[in-house]
Structures are given as C-alpha cells and as structure tokens.
Amino acid sequence: MAAAEAMEEKQADAPPAPRPRSPPRYPDLCGRHRLQAGIQLLSREIGFLEEELQSVEGLQPVSVCCKEVDKYVGTTPDPLIPSYKKRHKSPCFWRWLRAMVCLDATCFTGGFSSWQNQPCCTCRPSWSCSSSSGGCRSRSCCSVSCSRLHCVIPSLSCPGYSCGCVCSCSNGTKKYV
Amino acid sequence: MSVAELKERHIAATATVNSLRERLKQRRQLLLDTDVATYAKSQGRSAISFSSTDLICCRTLQGHTGKVYSLDWTPERNRIVSASQDGRLIVWNALTSQKTHAIKLQCPWVMTCAFAPNGQSVACGGLDSACSIFNLNSQVDRDGNIPVSRILTGHKGYVYSCQYVPDQETRLITSSGDQTCVLWDVTTGQRISVFGGEFPSGHTADVLSVSINNSNSNMFVSGSCDMTARLWDTRIASRAVRTYHGHQGDVNTVKFFPDGQRFGTGSDDSTCRLYDMRTGHQLQVYSQQHEGDDNDVPIVTSIAFSISGRLLFAGYSSGDCYVWDTLMAEVVLNLGTFQNSHEARISCLGLSSDGSALCTGSWDKNLKIWAFGGHRKSNRPRPHSPSRFFTLLVLKAGLPPLLFAAVNGGSQAFRARRQRSKDLSEKWPPRGDPAFSLPRQKALPKRRLAFRSLPSLPTTISIGVSPYVGVSVIDGVFRGL
C-alpha cells in the first residue's frame, strides 16, 4: 500500500513522458522535383499520343499491308521450302517411247549407206526400203526386207536418234545394217 | 506551385495519357479489317506442306560446356559465333563443323554475341555491362587466348543483345537492362547516341533485343520487358518513332521481316506477332493452344524469318522450335519433335545469310544446323545469292572420294572424309583445312541422283544439294560415277 502510494507520488513528480515532435515542415524539395519531372514526361507523352492519333486518321487499313506481305512472300524464292512439282517422266522412258514409235526417220534418204555414213540423224518413218538402194553389208544378211523400223537409243557419242531397217536374213538372223 | 497542386496535375496528366491511349487503341481497332491469315485464305493460299525428310538436322556443333545463350552467322562464308555460359565464344565453320576460334572471356556471364559484317571481329556482352570486341586475326597471347581489342563501357545495366550495323564495321547497337539502346563507334569506343533513358521517351523496362533494318540501316526496332516494341531512327535519339503495343508479356526477341517493312516479335506470352513498321498495325498473331496449366505455357525465346518471309522459325523454352507458315498462321513443322532435336530450351536461333540453313542454340550445350534435305525444282544458284549454292561434282568414286565443287563459278577440290561419330573437341583441326566432311546420314532415303550437265564440265554429273546437306554416304560408296 505504501509502496503503491510512493509510486504514484514519484509519477506525479516525474516530468511528463516525452512526446516525439512531428518533423518540421520543411519544403519537400525532392518530391517536388520528382513530380515536376514526372509532369514534364507526361506532357511529352500526351503530345506524342495526340500526334499519333492524328496520323492514324489517314492510315491505310490492315488489308493493304496484308496484300503487300502476300505479294512479297509469293514472289521471293526460298531455299527452305519444298516445291513438289509433278514429276516429268524420266528421260529413259521418253527415249524408249520414242524409240518404239519412231516418228521421224529422214536418215533413210539415200539408203543404208547414207544411214551408215550418218549415224546421227533424226528418226523419220520411211517405209520404202528399196532393195536397189543398197543391201545388207554383212555377208550373212542376204535379203533386205524392211519389216520393221527400229531406232537406236541415243548414246553419248551419238545423241540423236539413229534409225535403220532391220535386215531379215535367210538364216533367220536379224541384223542391223 | 505547391506540392499538392503538383500532385493533382500529375494525376490529371496520367489520366489524360490513359484516355488518349484508349482512344488510339480503338481507332486502330477500326482499321483492323483483317489479318494476314484471313487475307491469304481469301486468296486461296494453302499451308506449306513438309514431309519428314524435308528439313533435317545435318550438323550438331558440340564443344560448349555450358548453356548456349546466343549465336550469330557471318554475312558470308558460313561461319557461326556462339556464346555460352562456360565463358567462351566459339567460332565454327558451319560446313565442316570445325571450330576455328575459341575465345575465353574475362567475364563468363555472356548473354549475346555478334559477328562484324566483314567477319573479322566478334562482339559480345553480358552481366559485366560492357560490350567486348575481339579481332579474330590478332595474335594470341601467352595463354593462347585472343586478347580483347576494345571494351565499350557506358551502360548502367547488363547488355542483353548486340548487333553490328550492316555494312558498317565500326558501328554497333546494344540493348541493355538499363532501359536504353546505345549506338557505338567501335573504333573510338564512344557512344554516338543513347536511345531511351531517363528523360527521352523510351522503354520503361529492360530492353532485351534489337534488330536493324537491312534495307535501311538507320532504322532499328527494340523489344523490352515493358511489353512493347519500339522503332528508332538512329539519327533521332530524342524519341522513339513509334511504339507497338499488343503483347501481354516481355518481348524477348524482335526480327525484321525480309522486306524491311515489317517485323516480328516473340514474347513471354507465348505468342509471336507481325507488325507493320510504317503504320504500326498488328498484322498477325501466331499463337498455339497449350495443354496444361497456365504456369507451364512456354515462352518464345527467339525468332527468325526465312529469306522469303514465308516461314517463321520460333524457339520456345520447352525445347520446341515451331516453323510457322507466316501467311496461313499455322505450324507446319516442329523441329523439337525430331529424334535428334535439342533436349532443352532453345535459347537462340538464326538463319544463314543465303537462307539455306537455320542454326539453333540450346541450353543442352549444343548448336544444330538444319537445312533442306528434300527435292527442289531447280538446283541452279539463285541470282540473289550467287555465292551460297554450289554443286558437288563427283568425278571419282572410291574411298576417300574426290570431289570437285563449283563455288561461285570457280572450282575447288575437296577430299571427303567421314565424320567421326564422336566429335573430338579437344583436338583443334588446322586452320584453313578445306576438307569437306560428308556425314553419314542414314535417315535420308536412298534416292537416285539427279543429272544435270554444267557448261564448263560437260562430262561430270552434278548433284544439286544445299551446301549443308551434302551427299549421302551409304555403305561407304558413293552412288554415282
């Protein structure tokens, strides 16, 4: 009891508890400068945006740009893009086909000898294989009958078509002359 | 004016800016009458169709011991420089897979590299906030390292991307984490212009990528973490020419379209977008539906356009590399699904200057070169790239086969050798070795060789292929003469 009263007296005599003072009202220079700089930036941004709004008025629509892209891409070759075109028939097949058809054989003009002399010629059909114009050179070939026209497939030495008559010989052997 | 009044003005100005942006967005929306895919479909176009062997991985460049962060091709001569977390730059010969230079860096945290237009120097930058230039022809020091020839200091943040100005050996543009891009004069080491920064209007976050317009080297675009791309004129550093909005995440990569009038972007929002440079329109969005939760959506790390612009290659953090048909906005191929594809994130990719090969770099420490392995209707060198395509003329079969290749109208002899199954990266091949190695490509189907005679060598048989795919070696014997 006495202790409590002593405590109260002490508290009454003690100076009042310190109350921290609020900071002095100095002008907030840092904040002010920052705000001013920020406002300046925003004003610039407003200017740019207004300019852009004006420029958008006369702009072409997106479809025009898309057309330009489409045109550019379509006209530029690209090494990475596959281009599977319909394959042409291989050269060998064409050669074989032409050999079988043998549409052209002017090489017979003048007979076999001229054909012999001119192995590279165009292939033209000629059904008149007259015996008077020559004969089979080979001994075993004794008669000439132009039973069938045959064209030789072009080779490196003779890239043209070479055509000639097939000799039919008495012994049944057929030879080219 | 009191602070309170300034605060009010600031708030009002912010509101004005926001409302102007909204009006601009609506006006642009009115002009968005179509997109590239819708237009192409209306013209009857159909998507490119690739078979399984059309685009193949024909080279794997092994040698880095850390993640590959960046790569760049030379404008000519088919060399690649790559930068890796192991603190090295490696210069590769893309045709032979050989390493021609290995540069040990002072700061191993490299993030970007670039080749100079003449192919004699390389630049790199990273967390050291500087850009280092190395001359490949300089004498090595006592430790066998190429010394740095110039360091470009001035950035206040990391250097994330750099590119030389085309056809100018002395100018370089870097982009940085300090929200600026800088144009440098390499010979003096001085900054010519700073794009962005505190006062001029520029990016408001880290700038991650730059791409310079090949048709007009005064213009370049930059992509940033502020979700925008900006177009700059190097002659006007005070403000960006145009800002392109649309992305919902960091813009990690930007690349100009081959015509120089448009550019593509790739972002953390997993989309790529095509913008028109002059009008600012967003022409197309390239996005793919992803399964799984939103946290697993892969981000686009790098993009490149094919030389015609028809294909857009996009590398993702998942290790995928989608090949987009830019006209149809469809994925026509995913290089990440191939058996020999990368095993980790694709961090960088780039197309060779002639457009015949794509190189990808990955966190799996490898680089891979992809080229066209299928049939093509014409094997003639194209007029706009006379130096890239060459034909292999097999003159003599046997082991090792002797090849003559017609390059740029001249001819050169190569002795082919088989590529080893293991790349012995410890052994450095001698410089200038012209040997052309022909990898064993069992995946390629056996096909007949095409015949085509050249006027200069009429007795040879030529095999028209791209320089990268080479000729299939099957059973150790050439199929041919």
Side-chain angles (χ1 to χ4, degrees), chain B residues 82-119:
Chain B
S82 58
S84 162
Q85 207 184 43
D86 60 9
R88 284 177 200 272
L89 294 183
I90 296 184
V91 180
W92 312 80
N93 180 323
L95 290 175
T96 61
S97 309
Q98 290 169 354
K99 303 169 191 56
T100 59
H101 300 82
I103 303 170
K104 194 168 172 203
L105 302 171
Q106 284 174 356
C107 171
W109 308 109
V110 63
M111 291 168 140
T112 180
C113 58
F115 243 121
N118 62 4

Side-chain angles (χ1 to χ4, degrees), chain A residues 47-112:
Chain A
F48 295 152
L49 285 167
E50 279 168 352
E51 266 179 44
E52 202 177 333
L53 261 174
Q54 275 195 338
S55 69
V56 166
E57 296 298 326
L59 269 187
Q60 61 194 23
V62 171
S63 50
V64 176
C65 304
C66 294
K67 190 175 169 187
E68 288 169 7
V69 170
D70 187 68
K71 187 180 170 190
Y72 180 84
V73 170
T75 52
T76 311
D78 195 321
L80 290 176
I81 292 182
S83 51
Y84 293 108
K85 286 221 144 185
K86 190 176 171 187
R87 293 282 182 88
H88 295 294
K89 292 188 168 71
S90 72
C92 288
F93 172 74
W94 272 121
R95 285 184 212 137
W96 174 84
L97 188 65
R98 288 190 67 173
M100 295 314 290
V101 171
C102 198
L103 301 172
D104 224 1
T106 47
C107 52
F108 293 133
T109 312
F112 293 122

Side-chain angles (χ1 to χ4, degrees), chain B residues 301-349:
Chain B
T301 57
S302 47
I303 60 168
F305 285 102
S306 69
I307 209 165
S308 66
R310 185 67 193 259
L311 301 175
L312 166 65
F313 299 95
Y316 291 74
S317 53
S318 54
D320 288 327
C321 180
Y322 288 158
V323 182
W324 291 90
D325 182 328
T326 49
L327 287 187
M328 306 301 290
E330 288 174 24
V331 176
V332 293
L333 201 60
N334 181 0
L335 301 179
T337 54
F338 286 26
Q339 208 181 3
N340 52 358
S341 68
H342 287 292
E343 291 156 8
R345 169 192 288 227
I346 293 185
S347 53
C348 49
L349 48 85

